Amino acid sequence: MTHTDQLAALKRPLPETLAAVLALIFADRYSTTQAMREHHGRDESRYDAMLPDAVIFAHSTEEVAAAVKLCAAHGVPVIAWGSGTSLEGHVLALHGGVCIDLSQMNAMVAVHGQDLTATVQAGVTRKQLNEEIRDTGLFFPIDPGANASLGGMAATRASGTNAVRYGTMRENVLALTVVTADGRIIRTGTRAKKSSAGYDLTLLFVGSEGTLGIITEVTVKLYPLPEAISAAVCSFPGTGSAVNAVIQTIQLGVPVARVEFLDENGVKAINAYDKLALPEKPLLLFEFHGTPASVAEQAQLVQEIAAEHGASGFEWASRPEERSRLWAARHNAYFALLQLRPGSRAISTDCCVPISRLAECILATRDDCERAGLTYAIIGHVGDGNFHVQMLVDPSNPADIARAEQVNSDMVTRAIGMDGTCTGEHGVGMHKMDFLVEEHGADAIGTMRAIKHALDPNNIMNPGKIISW
């Protein structure tokens, strides 16, 4: 029996009394239909669906607290749901239970433009937030690609294409409203830029993947819209030369806003999917933010660095529609890659290493993929040492899956050996629990487990994720 099978075998039934009370409270926002449960029992990971027993749609923090308190009284698991775009099995109902869908909690609570902050309900998506504040001259820069919810982004400590300049959710969340495992409502942090007051509960819940509590409101930092934005794309003779150009750019302190890498397989996929005509060679996609003068200076310096590493075909995209088309193609890469092997399923994984080891780690991983005979692509937010491997497998072929998982294991072990991490932004979920132990060691995992036991003594908050009970 696999680890997943063992966990699924521990599924706890939903008591009839609890079901009746939840149905009374939430009325038509309570569902036990097969279709609704199936929708909330899967994400973008390679795992088969694992269904909750019931789904409720919450509209307020108080409703979430009421539902959690009821579930806690019956020892029933609770899984928070944002937009279902996670990649490591974060939202799968291993033990059944109640899925609390926060997508209808999508109100803007407050925007404080003078303080460069906004407070939103957890179901607000990043695109919705930027649409709501577009007339203020501000924007929220964290962009993981998918139109994820802010609550989910905080829970998984998301980052994305802009992280090289603006950081991740860890650096951009100031405060949270959280429902704890016993149904209490707490607020962590304030809108102040810094604090020395007590334990940092905000950062404890950021990245906790719903295993310690449910995030219902998020206060984030905003940034002034750049006066000028320019993008550039260029091709390289090989993966090593492209990544080394990025390393030199970062080491020289050039403040690029985004720098994305796509290998030749990734370029081939987006050309077909988005009807582009990019050279099917390793590619870098840059974006520069600042004043017109600073953008021009950054771009010129990067062009010179790229040329030293054999880059060709430098093309500029200064008009918004040109930039949007390039970044849309990058964000569509996951779906574009699936077309390289129709009927396949993606095993998508990531790691992050110190920037000086990035080229070495990517090249070794590419060699592993080639030896395994996989259909794959390597794509990365390489400006911060993070890259992703998407491997396409036949979901009905265990040997195919095993080859991809071996590449994943070798890649992660290599990254940890380089003083890197098993995941730069996907999170742990179910898929990387063993690697977390490898990265942190038994004593550190024991400390994490002690925190979990203290805050969730009955193991009802998204059980079976991050650490074993």
Side-chain angles (χ1 to χ4, degrees):
M1 183 180 287
T2 67
H3 178 61
T4 300
D5 291 336
Q6 291 171 345
L7 290 170
L10 299 175
K11 183 175 178 180
R12 311 167 194 174
L14 187 67
E16 292 183 6
T17 51
L18 173 60
V21 175
L22 290 174
L24 181 65
I25 293 173
F26 290 93
D28 61 351
R29 292 184 284 123
Y30 172 84
S31 177
T32 57
T33 66
Q34 183 73 10
M36 188 66 72
R37 292 167 55 228
E38 285 185 353
H39 176 70
H40 289 83
R42 65 177 75 248
D43 58 10
E44 296 292 343
S45 71
R46 73 167 183 85
Y47 296 106
D48 293 331
M50 301 179 195
L51 280 55
D53 296 303
V55 178
I56 61 176
F57 291 83
H59 284 177
S60 68
T61 296
E62 289 71 24
E63 285 191 347
V64 174
V68 171
K69 190 171 294 185
L70 286 166
C71 289
H74 290 83
V76 170
V78 179
I79 305 98
W81 174 276
S83 57
T85 56
S86 54
L87 291 161
E88 304 289 359
H90 296 81
V91 297
L92 304 185
L94 290 167
H95 301 272
V98 175
C99 175
I100 301 181
D101 188 317
L102 305 170
S103 62
Q104 295 180 12
M105 289 181 60
N106 57 0
M108 301 286 296
V109 178
V111 176
H112 297 91
Q114 291 181 319
D115 297 323
L116 305 181
T117 68
T119 299
V120 302
Q121 286 187 313
V124 170
T125 66
R126 65 174 184 87
K127 288 183 180 179
Q128 179 191 346
L129 173 57
N130 279 320
E131 182 68 20
E132 294 276 359
I133 63 175
R134 64 179 178 174
D135 295 330
T136 67
L138 303 172
F139 82 119
F140 178 68
I142 309 304
D143 178 5
N147 189 25
S149 66
L150 272 291
M153 289 170 63
T156 55
R157 203 183 312 163
S159 52
T161 58
N162 277 320
V164 64
R165 176 158 183 162
Y166 297 99
T168 72
M169 288 298 282
R170 180 181 66 182
E171 291 80 34
N172 286 281
V173 174
L174 292 169
L176 300 169
T177 299
V178 177
V179 174
T180 64
D182 57 2
R184 288 175 296 125
I185 299 170
I186 64 171
R187 181 160 174 84
T188 74
T190 68
R191 290 194 303 107
K193 191 172 183 179
K194 60 182 181 179
S195 172
S196 298
Y199 299 135
D200 195 333
L201 296 180
T202 301
L203 289 188
L204 178 62
F205 285 101
V206 171
S208 64
E209 300 181 12
T211 63
L212 302 179
I214 295 180
I215 295 168
T216 60
E217 289 185 6
V218 188
T219 299
V220 296
K221 298 178 184 178
L222 304 177
Y223 295 80
L225 282 165
E227 183 180 351
I229 301 175
S230 182
V233 61
C234 56
S235 301
F236 288 81
T239 295
S241 57
V243 178
N244 283 322
V246 175
I247 293 172
Q248 186 176 348
T249 298
I250 300 302
Q251 289 176 338
L252 289 175
V254 182
V256 293
R258 309 194 216 191
V259 53
E260 293 289 295
F261 167 80
L262 286 86
D263 70 1
E264 53 267 45
N265 296 329
V267 177
K268 178 181 178 180
I270 66 170
N271 274 346
Y273 191 81
D274 291 279
K275 305 299 187 289
L276 301 177
L278 297 166
E280 292 181 356
K281 300 191 292 185
L283 173 147
L284 291 179
L285 177 56
F286 293 94
E287 190 166 276
F288 310 95
H289 295 180
T291 64
S294 67
V295 164
E297 182 181 1
Q298 293 168 38
Q300 180 60 37
L301 181 54
V302 167
Q303 186 170 359
E304 292 171 1
I305 293 170
E308 292 176 9
H309 291 274
S312 60
F314 232 95
E315 294 185 16
W316 299 99
S318 298
R319 292 187 301 171
E321 58 270 25
E322 294 173 338
R323 294 198 313 272
S324 295
R325 189 179 183 205
L326 282 173
W327 287 112
R330 165 61 186 91
H331 288 328
N332 289 337
Y334 175 85
F335 302 102
L337 290 164
L338 288 174
Q339 306 308 309
L340 293 179
R341 188 178 177 184
S344 65
R345 193 164 183 175
I347 293 180
S348 184
T349 185
D350 80 317
C351 67
C352 191
V353 296
I355 192 74
S356 63
R357 306 297 299 275
L358 181 60
E360 179 185 354
C361 196
I362 289 179
L363 288 170
T365 301
R366 182 199 64 185
D367 291 344
D368 288 345
C369 290
E370 291 290 336
R371 279 193 296 269
L374 296 172
T375 301
Y376 73 97
I378 298 176
I379 296 175
H381 314 314
V382 287
D384 50 17
N386 181 208
F387 69 94
H388 308 253
V389 184
Q390 186 167 327
M391 299 169 281
L392 304 183
V393 300
D394 178 351
S396 65
N397 185 339
D400 209 16
I401 295 172
R403 283 192 293 271
E405 289 293 357
Q406 185 61 54
V407 169
N408 176 44
S409 178
D410 292 343
M411 179 190 80
V412 168
T413 297
R414 181 181 301 116
I416 292 171
M418 293 176 172
D419 206 15
T421 178
C422 65
T423 175
E425 64 180 27
H426 285 189
V428 176
M430 293 165 47
H431 196 204
K432 293 197 170 178
M433 290 171 63
D434 291 340
F435 299 126
L436 194 69
V437 178
E438 184 178 345
E439 178 175 332
H440 289 288
D443 289 341
I445 295 299
T447 302
M448 294 184 195
R449 186 173 290 112
I451 294 170
K452 168 72 170 173
H453 286 191
L455 297 185
D456 181 21
N458 295 317
N459 193 26
I460 68 166
M461 305 305 291
N462 203 14
K465 317 296 168 56
I466 299 187
I467 55 173
S468 60
W469 186 249

